[in-house]
Amino acid sequence: MQDLAEFQSQYCSNLDIKRICSFDYELIDEKTFPLYHQSPRFLYIKKGKAKFKVDTELYEVGENCLLSILPWDCTEVVEVEEALQYEIIKYNYDVVANMLHSIIVDNLDETPILKKLEITPVITLNEDTKKEVETLFSKVKEEVGIESLLEEMEHKSYHEIFVCTLLAQLITIFCREIDDRRMIPKVLAELGDQRALILRYIYMHLSDKMTLDRLSKQFYMSKSSISKYILEKTGLSFNELLNEMRVTKTVNYLLYTDFTLEELASIVGYVDAAHISKVFASRMDDKIGNYRRTYGNALHVGKIKETKQEYRIIEYLLRNFAEDLTAQSVADKFQISLIELNKVLLSQVQKNFYDFLNLVRINKACEFLIETDMDITDIAIGVGYNTVKAFRRNFVQLRHMNPSEFRNNVHIQE
């Protein structure tokens, strides 16, 4: 398995797994093997020059480049012209994402903030922005210490809030650079193998009861091809990879929320509490109850009730998409405003109500088109559209072809 990729640790810090952020210095002086990152990080390159691959794209990176790596991104340094010296900030994605969404209502006409980090992972800083980024990195270092020095920091009051605000500023700067200047290093290669996106897709959709059948329909590949790719890249079977990801996400929830095991099972895709307990014990060599008692809640994260409701809203839409749903009817059902409903959906799926509902409906329609001989009118009504015209319009918008063309041209790849 020459292409086998390594897994980076799920924790931000190996010194203290309860930390939501860590800082360190690192150096790369030769090409690396592919590496899947289970926790996100920012890399600020101080010196050097190299060709750096993030998932499917290859960038030329060097001094003053800032890289944003998200959970289950695969990175690889394919060539080093000058050794890369950089500062690195690792952080807990779920904590920071929840914090951002609790204070921000994204403009519905714009790409959500965290989605921008996924679309554009590398930027080059100008002189003004460089000073801002250096100041933020320095403040993070002062607050959390240097990981490789094994420093046990005495945290000041409001430590978590302060760290989160620093990370929020860093993310804001990154997004502003994308919006205002688009100072993005040259992409050195054409869009690569789209299979590289499979692992992140799995991680982002764990609560949807992920299966090989679902992946096959999403990526238009056979189940055996997907299984083979995952094994070649990770050394794990599909089910082993699922459990690895689910345990990673479970740990975050155990540390930062008071969700019950039944609620956790639904959120991360387990059958029930017994299932989550069995998998956790096997992977972590510890009972899930013991783990929670040992580490407790690392943070007293607020809005737990609201967070639970967010998952109930997503689950409701996924199960009832074929009904005659409107944004107002769903908001009324959960006793929230339309603004709050869209904020929930932007937080969880990066789409507003109608965009998400259309996506779910069209995805189901694609399954019918590939797997059945159902009439297109029946499919349109079956997935929740009142008219074929509305169905066709939304289908073309999302799939860039009409339903008939999709049925005739799209097949499962072996």
Side-chain angles (χ1 to χ4, degrees):
M1 293 186 184
Q2 277 189 326
D3 294 329
L4 192 66
E6 298 179 21
F7 288 176
Q8 159 267 329
S9 170
Q10 68 194 67
Y11 302 112
C12 305
S13 168
N14 292 321
L15 184 64
D16 180 0
I17 67 171
K18 293 185 292 184
R19 288 186 180 178
I20 60 172
C21 178
S22 68
F23 173 94
D24 213 344
Y25 299 102
E26 291 187 359
L27 180 143
I28 296 176
D29 56 5
E30 58 184 8
K31 67 180 184 178
T32 66
F33 290 105
L35 174 65
Y36 280 106
H37 301 274
Q38 295 193 69
S39 66
R41 69 272 325 280
F42 280 104
L43 278 60
Y44 174 40
I45 298 176
K46 307 287 285 188
K47 291 183 180 180
K49 188 175 182 180
K51 293 177 180 177
F52 198 103
K53 189 175 183 181
V54 182
D55 283 332
T56 62
E57 294 184 328
L58 185 65
Y59 296 87
E60 186 171 82
V61 301
E63 186 175 349
N64 299 331
C65 276
L66 182 63
L67 286 70
S68 170
I69 310 300
L70 294 177
W72 291 95
D73 272 344
C74 184
T75 64
E76 179 182 1
V77 177
V78 300
E79 181 182 319
V80 177
E81 188 173 326
E82 296 177 35
L84 289 180
Q85 301 177 40
Y86 57 92
E87 298 175 354
I88 182 169
I89 291 175
K90 302 177 186 177
Y91 63 95
N92 184 295
Y93 181 85
D94 293 311
V95 171
V96 174
N98 286 338
M99 181 275 299
L100 279 177
H101 290 307
S102 71
I103 60 175
I104 297 172
V105 179
D106 291 298
N107 187 321
L108 301 186
D109 296 325
E110 294 182 355
T111 304
I113 285 180
L114 294 173
K115 187 70 175 177
K116 288 183 180 180
L117 301 185
E118 176 183 331
I119 296 172
T120 308
V122 185
I123 60 173
T124 301
L125 306 174
N126 62 24
E127 283 303 314
D128 292 336
T129 311
K130 172 186 172 183
K131 293 177 182 177
E132 294 182 71
V133 168
E134 288 179 340
T135 298
L136 289 171
F137 267 72
S138 179
K139 287 182 177 180
V140 170
K141 178 178 67 174
E142 292 172 7
E143 186 70 18
V144 304
I146 301 173
E147 177 81 1
S148 57
L149 296 183
L150 304 181
E151 294 180 308
E152 292 191 40
M153 301 291 292
E154 288 290 333
H155 295 320
K156 301 176 184 177
S157 55
Y158 310 110
H159 165 75
E160 290 86 5
I161 295 175
F162 185 64
V163 169
C164 282
T165 56
L166 293 176
L167 291 168
Q169 291 179 69
L170 193 55
I171 291 170
T172 302
I173 288 173
F174 199 99
C175 291
R176 282 180 173 175
E177 287 298 290
I178 294 172
D179 290 344
D180 298 340
R181 302 180 181 85
R182 300 200 63 81
M183 296 180 64
I184 302 167
K186 180 181 178 183
V187 178
L188 301 176
E190 294 298 321
L191 194 64
D193 189 346
Q194 291 301 295
R195 295 180 302 175
L197 305 177
I198 289 176
L199 269 68
R200 190 188 326 140
Y201 179 85
I202 295 173
Y203 183 77
M204 294 301 183
H205 295 83
L206 287 177
S207 61
D208 298 346
K209 310 297 183 186
M210 184 58 58
T211 64
L212 275 172
D213 190 53
R214 176 189 174 122
L215 286 175
S216 175
K217 295 164 184 172
Q218 181 68 30
F219 288 91
Y220 309 118
M221 296 170 57
S222 69
K223 292 184 283 187
S224 60
S225 295
I226 294 173
S227 294
K228 181 180 178 182
Y229 176 79
I230 290 173
L231 184 63
E232 289 175 346
K233 285 297 181 182
T234 69
L236 301 176
S237 68
F238 171 70
N239 285 329
E240 288 171 337
L241 177 65
L242 267 186
N243 287 334
E244 183 77 21
M245 291 183 174
R246 284 171 174 164
V247 169
T248 298
K249 218 167 183 65
T250 298
V251 166
N252 283 341
Y253 283 112
L254 291 173
L255 290 175
Y256 303 114
T257 78
D258 69 347
F259 284 135
T260 66
L261 294 190
E262 287 292 347
E263 289 167 332
L264 280 178
S266 175
I267 291 170
V268 295
Y270 292 101
V271 175
D272 52 27
H275 186 203
I276 192 174
S277 297
K278 180 180 179 181
V279 173
F280 188 92
S282 175
R283 170 64 176 78
M284 301 295 288
D285 295 322
D286 193 7
K287 292 182 178 179
I288 198 167
N290 292 340
Y291 187 93
R292 175 167 258 173
R293 283 191 293 272
T294 299
Y295 293 103
N297 286 340
L299 298 175
H300 298 290
V301 178
K303 299 192 175 180
I304 291 173
K305 179 179 178 182
E306 289 82 352
T307 303
K308 292 179 181 179
Q309 177 162 278
E310 290 180 4
Y311 289 104
R312 295 191 185 106
I313 293 172
I314 301 300
E315 183 180 24
Y316 178 78
L317 292 177
L318 290 172
R319 290 184 176 180
N320 298 279
F321 63 87
E323 303 297 324
D324 186 17
L325 300 179
T326 66
Q328 189 64 62
S329 69
V330 175
D332 290 344
K333 176 178 176 59
F334 290 93
Q335 299 181 328
I336 58 177
S337 69
L338 289 175
I339 291 178
E340 289 172 319
L341 174 63
N342 277 321
K343 183 176 179 181
V344 164
L345 293 170
L346 285 166
S347 167
Q348 297 300 326
V349 295
Q350 289 78 55
K351 295 183 183 298
N352 64 28
F353 172 81
Y354 287 106
D355 286 344
F356 180 61
L357 183 60
N358 280 324
L359 176 64
V360 174
R361 287 173 169 172
I362 296 304
N363 282 346
K364 188 63 178 178
C366 288
E367 293 181 24
F368 286 138
L369 288 166
I370 291 175
E371 297 179 350
T372 76
D373 295 323
M374 287 176 61
D375 183 79
I376 288 177
T377 299
D378 293 334
I379 292 177
I381 295 172
V383 298
Y385 290 101
N386 294 323
T387 67
V388 176
K389 183 178 180 181
F391 169 60
R392 291 181 185 277
R393 182 179 67 251
N394 285 288
F395 195 99
V396 170
Q397 183 177 4
L398 288 172
R399 291 292 179 259
H400 308 295
M401 63 180 80
N402 64 45
S404 297
E405 291 172 332
F406 183 90
R407 171 171 269 167
N408 293 332
N409 296 308
V410 176
H411 306 282
I412 300 296
Q413 297 177 6
E414 293 298 332

